[in-house]
Amino acid sequence: MSTNASFRSKVFYTALAWLISGLIFFPILWTFITSFKTEAEAISATPSLFMFEWTLQNYSDVLARSPYFDHFINSVVIALGSSVVGLLIAIPAAWSMAFVPTKRTKNLLMWMLSTKMLPPVGVLIPIYLLFRDFSLLDTKLGLVIVMTLINLPIMVWMLYTYFREIPHEILEAARMDGASITEEIFHVLLPIALPGIASTLLLNVILAWNEAFWTLILSAANAAPLTAFIASYSSPEGLFYAKLSAASVMAIVPILILGWFSQKQLVRGLSFGAVK
Amino acid sequence: MATIQSRTLARFMLFPSVVLLLGWMIVPLCMTLYFSFLDYNLLMPGNEAFIGFLNYEFFLTDPAFIESFFNTLLLVGGVLTITIGGGIGLAILLDQAIWGRNYVRIMVLAPFFVMPTVSALVWKNMFMNPVNGLFAHLAAFFGTEPIDFFAHYPLLSIIVIVSWQWLPFAALLLLTAIQSLDREQLEAADLDGAGPISKFFYIVLPHLSRAITAVILIETIFLLSIFAEILVTTSGGPGYASTNITYLIYTQSLLQFDVGGGSAGGIIAVIIANIVAIFLMRLIGKNLEG
């Protein structure tokens, strides 16, 4: 009797969960499907899920008519560049705070976090003017600098929470064996900390890839990443749903795949360790 | 245990992060503060003059500020209500024994990874367009008038889009929290004859309170700065109907070149964000001790 009831409730909850998650996922699925339709099919009053002529025309149109590939490279350079530079700056800081804490460490961490909460409009004008004066407007270098700085607090914080869980005894044992500090970092700490460092890198690539305030304001034709490229579809000419879909799919798929791998780290990183 | 050498090295290793963040935060913020007291327009360079608090007076008494202030409140409040309500429901649902939970999780999480410009344009054109959007086709199918979402309900439309983007974050965070709930407590409640509703209010909700606070504070930080979704859908219009404070400052600074007024607005935005940040820092600070 009771197994029967629990079986029935499992069927019910499964159906409900699939229905709701299907609805949440539907806009992405619909974009994916539309990207393979003709423009006429894409606005058809009797839209079809699968029964239409599948075509790759939109993808070749987007690639042919716009420097899509340049924008893609810009996104890669900005997201990866800022994450790697950020790691190089953040790892020593997080190491220092996790293993040689002082009375001020906690305040320092909180202060770093507070910089993340500064609304971008609070520094919009000075950054814009400084970028103009240093000829950094619409350059990849400029965007790498900004992305590194806005994500640095998250990086230090995430790495700190990972490093803090590494037992001190391991480092002390290495020290007893006469390891120097550099040996300690490269041969003992880094191998243990590698998963944490990888997750930090992953989360920051995702955040930088999708960042859409500074990238829209500080970039134009040359350095525009995909966020800004897609924004150019907001003033369309003629039929464009299928092409918008194709461009969108190409912009989101890499990060969607990375994102699914980093679900757990996402919670930890974005809640600053408040929820683990 | 640390030697003097390693302590010196530790300071040295902190140095780059601290200096960079200090430079990033303090220098531009001081410049914004300085500009906010100037009559400074980029179209008339060389005419800067100190005008005291006049920029603040103009900004705060501008009807556009009042409207965008309430739009900001509605946007943040609306998205928080939808994502937390929906997030709790989803977290409880995904916590049940179901088939294919991993696939369900992947689908629920997906919108969070879609860049803001893509989600805004996809919703605006392919769903909410009054002629060719899917909702218009659905309305035609049921024989009702299609709704011109962005003309009649611009702010609500943006709330829907942003909620879709943030629901996964709330759901995932709350699911993580709900999974740490002590099952024996629920079983004990079952034995005492507690129904699902009293179990929810007396056990699940109190257990989630900390995670809910975290979601509220973190989302608020991001939601106060919503920008791209407005830029690519309504450009703040019609009128100021979908302008929030961030977007208002952007138009004032970079479209009207009013550096002084934009800076005064920026300082006000910083003050508003600080009020939220103080609460968030307290919550995280407590966690750091535990």
Side-chain angles (χ1 to χ4, degrees), chain B:
Chain B
M1 270 307 283
T3 60
I4 293 172
Q5 185 212 358
S6 73
R7 232 176 272 153
T8 319
L9 186 72
R11 294 248 170 80
F12 182 69
M13 288 170 126
L14 266 177
F15 193 67
S17 294
V18 173
V19 169
L20 283 173
L21 284 177
L22 212 60
W24 165 249
M25 185 164 96
I26 303 293
V27 175
L29 204 55
C30 289
M31 285 170 77
T32 306
L33 195 62
Y34 171 68
F35 291 151
S36 72
F37 294 111
L38 296 182
D39 177 14
Y40 181 3
N41 193 302
L42 283 179
L43 295 178
M44 292 171 279
N47 285 337
E48 295 88 57
F50 184 81
I51 53 165
F53 283 92
L54 213 56
N55 283 323
Y56 289 91
E57 207 183 307
F58 279 134
F59 190 84
L60 288 171
T61 53
D62 185 353
F65 167 72
I66 314 285
E67 193 170 350
S68 52
F69 180 76
F70 284 108
N71 285 341
T72 309
L73 285 187
L74 279 174
L75 183 58
V76 174
V79 174
L80 280 178
T81 311
I82 296 172
T83 56
I84 290 181
I88 293 174
L90 268 172
I92 292 174
L93 183 61
L94 297 190
D95 189 43
Q96 307 297 321
I98 54 170
W99 284 293
R101 185 188 314 179
N102 283 339
Y103 298 105
V104 170
R105 248 172 87 134
I106 278 176
M107 287 198 287
V108 168
L109 195 56
F112 191 75
F113 300 119
V114 176
M115 53 177 67
T117 43
V118 165
S119 48
L121 284 178
V122 163
W123 275 93
K124 179 193 180 186
N125 293 300
M126 290 159 58
F127 287 89
M128 293 171 164
N129 184 290
V131 182
N132 295 323
L134 208 53
F135 291 154
H137 296 325
L138 273 179
F141 180 77
F142 289 111
T144 54
E145 275 295 297
I147 303 163
D148 190 350
F149 289 94
F150 281 100
H152 299 301
Y153 311 102
L155 192 62
L156 183 69
S157 306
I158 292 170
I159 290 175
V160 169
I161 296 171
V162 177
S163 299
W164 179 73
Q165 291 177 285
W166 281 93
L167 180 62
F169 173 73
L172 188 67
L173 209 132
L174 294 169
L175 178 63
T176 311
I178 223 171
Q179 281 169 340
S180 68
L181 183 64
D182 187 1
R183 303 287 141 166
E184 282 173 20
Q185 222 181 340
L186 285 177
E187 279 161 28
D190 272 334
L191 289 179
D192 290 343
I197 292 168
S198 56
K199 270 193 291 188
F200 174 76
F201 280 106
Y202 291 106
I203 298 175
V204 178
L205 208 54
H207 176 76
L208 285 181
S209 63
R210 191 191 161 75
I212 292 172
T213 320
V215 174
I216 292 177
L217 296 170
I218 293 160
E219 281 194 11
T220 306
I221 297 282
F222 285 94
L223 296 176
L224 283 173
S225 298
I226 291 287
F227 173 74
E229 291 85 342
I230 298 175
L231 179 78
V232 299
T233 54
T234 63
S235 297
Y240 288 101
S242 59
T243 298
N244 66 353
I245 292 180
T246 298
Y247 197 81
L248 180 70
I249 296 167
Y250 158 76
T251 52
Q252 195 147 21
S253 317
L254 296 185
L255 301 183
Q256 297 163 17
F257 305 108
D258 179 5
V259 171
S263 296
I267 295 296
I268 288 160
V270 170
I271 293 170
I272 294 173
N274 260 306
I275 296 168
V276 181
I278 288 167
F279 288 102
L280 180 56
M281 304 288 266
R282 268 200 205 143
L283 182 83
I284 295 168
K286 259 186 220 151
N287 196 57
L288 207 57
E289 277 152 14

Side-chain angles (χ1 to χ4, degrees), chain A residues 10 14 18 24 44 89 95-96 106 110-111 115 117 122 126 181 209-210 227 230 241 255 260 263 273 276, chain B residues 9-10 13 17 25 28 32 97 99 105-106 113 115-117 121 125 129 137 164 176 280-281 287-289:
Chain A
K10 191 171 179 179
T14 302
W18 279 86
I24 292 173
S44 159
I89 303 167
W95 177 88
S96 158
K106 192 191 154 186
M110 296 308 275
W111 170 75
T115 66
M117 295 168 193
I181 296 226
W209 186 280
N210 288 342
T227 43
I230 297 289
Y241 284 15
I255 237 55
W260 282 331
Q263 305 184 26
K276 278 183 199 159
Chain B
L9 186 72
M13 288 170 126
S17 294
M25 185 164 96
T32 306
W99 284 293
R105 248 172 87 134
I106 278 176
F113 300 119
M115 53 177 67
T117 43
L121 284 178
N125 293 300
N129 184 290
H137 296 325
W164 179 73
T176 311
L280 180 56
M281 304 288 266
N287 196 57
L288 207 57
E289 277 152 14

Side-chain angles (χ1 to χ4, degrees), chain A residues 133-185:
Chain A
D133 295 344
F134 287 98
S135 310
L136 285 169
L137 282 179
D138 199 20
T139 63
K140 287 192 271 286
L141 176 66
L143 285 172
V144 168
I145 294 174
V146 170
M147 288 303 133
T148 305
L149 289 170
I150 60 172
N151 285 334
L152 191 58
I154 294 191
M155 292 194 138
V156 173
W157 191 274
M158 246 181 110
L159 289 168
Y160 170 78
T161 62
Y162 282 113
F163 287 178
R164 209 170 46 153
E165 284 166 14
I166 298 174
H168 280 57
E169 290 78 18
I170 292 178
L171 297 184
E172 271 157 31
R175 238 171 265 169
M176 297 283 231
D177 291 341
S180 72
I181 296 226
T182 38
E183 279 172 334
E184 181 184 313
I185 291 176

